[in-house]
Amino acid sequence: MTTTAAQETFLQAFHAEHPAVTAEAFGRGRAPDGRSSYELLCDQVAGRRRVLDLGCGDGLLLEFLARGDGRQLAGLDLSPHSLALARRRPALAGAWLEEGRAQALPFADDSFDACVSHLALMLMGEIEQVAAEIARVLSPGGVLACVVGGGAVGGEAYDRFITLLRSTMEEVPASQRIPPLGDRRTRSRDGLDEVLTPAGFAAVDWESVPIDLSGPVEQVWAAVSSLYDLGPLDGRTVERLRTAFFSDVCDMTTPEGVVPCAFNVHIATARLR
């Protein structure tokens, strides 16, 4: 099995169990201006009428995009289970929702004015082929806009969770570790430029935004434990990690029972020449 095939097999199995995991974990997160990362991404394609959501999951981003009158929307995802949830959204009754791979998009040339991707592009293998396919289905002047995970904000609960997770992963057998996901170049501005420039895109615009996920400890745990790394772990190991996390954030919990938690994202946009 190729590296990309192993990645995709893992992702399909994970999302069969957790079809709405990203929306559930990050849909309630808020940037400093009060908007979610999904809403921030929508702003990057304002005025674009034909929009493709790459890695659309359960359709939350598409639902936000559907608020624009007259838009033609399409979504692609590896997971039939996630797509089943997207198809249940009334706002997406007219959207074209397809199961498939970003490396071989089932759309004609020049089909879209914009392509968006929320925490999905960073998971894809054969990224040069993905970039070429995005460029193929975009019209000249079309825009690619994506949200990429930026990691922990120092000193808050997500930071502590990552430290505990790394320690846990050092102790588990290889059978309980996920395959490497995606291409590291998608996680930096220079790396994305390296990928996208040969496909015909102009230089990447890059903005980093902290997303607040603070709340009661159970709610925060639900968000941080949605990471793919926990998928292969056995129940006993996950429970040990949960117990350690709850203990570790006691000192930062406010008198109102709020655990401060923030997660950095990067908003990257590039225009097709």
Side-chain angles (χ1 to χ4, degrees):
M1 184 181 292
T2 67
T3 299
T4 299
Q7 294 171 348
E8 293 177 359
T9 297
F10 168 78
L11 290 169
Q12 286 176 316
F14 184 91
H15 287 286
E17 294 291 327
H18 312 283
V21 63
T22 307
E24 290 170 351
F26 298 105
R28 68 173 187 82
R30 292 293 178 267
D33 67 2
R35 292 179 296 165
S36 70
S37 53
Y38 293 91
E39 292 169 296
L40 295 176
L41 191 52
C42 287
D43 286 353
Q44 306 306 310
V45 296
R48 304 282 174 160
R49 310 304 281 179
R50 303 175 300 155
V51 185
L52 168 64
D53 183 357
L54 202 56
C56 64
D58 73 327
L60 179 58
L61 176 57
L62 284 169
E63 188 170 84
F64 280 116
L65 289 165
R67 295 175 182 175
D69 290 340
R71 266 191 169 143
Q72 300 173 34
L73 298 176
L76 181 101
D77 204 273
L78 277 174
S79 171
H81 299 84
S82 297
L83 285 169
L85 296 181
R87 292 188 176 105
R88 294 177 193 169
R89 294 182 183 268
L92 303 185
W96 183 0
L97 301 175
E98 286 281 340
E99 180 183 347
R101 305 177 64 244
Q103 297 84 356
L105 295 175
F107 307 109
D109 297 0
D110 301 335
S111 291
F112 303 102
D113 307 313
C115 176
V116 294
S117 186
H118 185 276
L119 297 177
L121 188 72
M122 56 191 272
L123 302 174
M124 297 175 187
E126 302 171 15
I127 195 64
E128 289 89 352
Q129 179 62 23
V130 174
E133 279 291 275
I134 295 171
R136 180 183 65 78
V137 302
L138 283 178
S139 297
V143 65
L144 168 64
C146 54
V147 167
V148 178
V153 174
E156 296 197 353
Y158 190 83
D159 190 28
R160 295 197 184 181
F161 172 76
I162 293 298
T163 300
L164 290 169
L165 178 62
R166 286 173 179 160
S167 177
T168 298
M169 298 311 295
E170 289 173 358
E171 299 172 358
V172 302
S175 61
Q176 293 189 44
R177 296 175 188 164
I178 65 173
L181 297 176
D183 189 309
R184 299 270 334 155
R185 289 175 294 174
T186 60
R187 298 169 184 261
S188 71
R189 183 177 189 171
D190 289 345
L192 265 180
D193 274 331
E194 182 182 330
V195 170
L196 295 176
T197 299
F201 287 90
V204 170
D205 288 325
W206 187 264
E207 180 185 4
S208 298
V209 181
I211 300 297
D212 185 12
L213 298 169
S214 302
V217 66
E218 289 281 2
Q219 182 175 291
V220 171
W221 166 255
V224 300
S225 65
S226 67
L227 293 186
Y228 291 110
D229 303 73
L230 274 70
L233 298 179
D234 61 61
R236 185 176 300 178
T237 300
V238 172
E239 184 55 32
R240 283 201 304 269
L241 181 58
R242 178 182 181 278
T243 300
F245 176 74
F246 276 50
S247 175
D248 205 35
V249 299
C250 279
D251 68 310
M252 65 169 59
T253 304
T254 70
E256 296 76 28
V258 175
V259 176
C261 182
F263 174 83
N264 284 316
V265 300
H266 307 301
I267 302 173
T269 58
R271 190 180 301 272
L272 188 66
R273 293 190 184 95

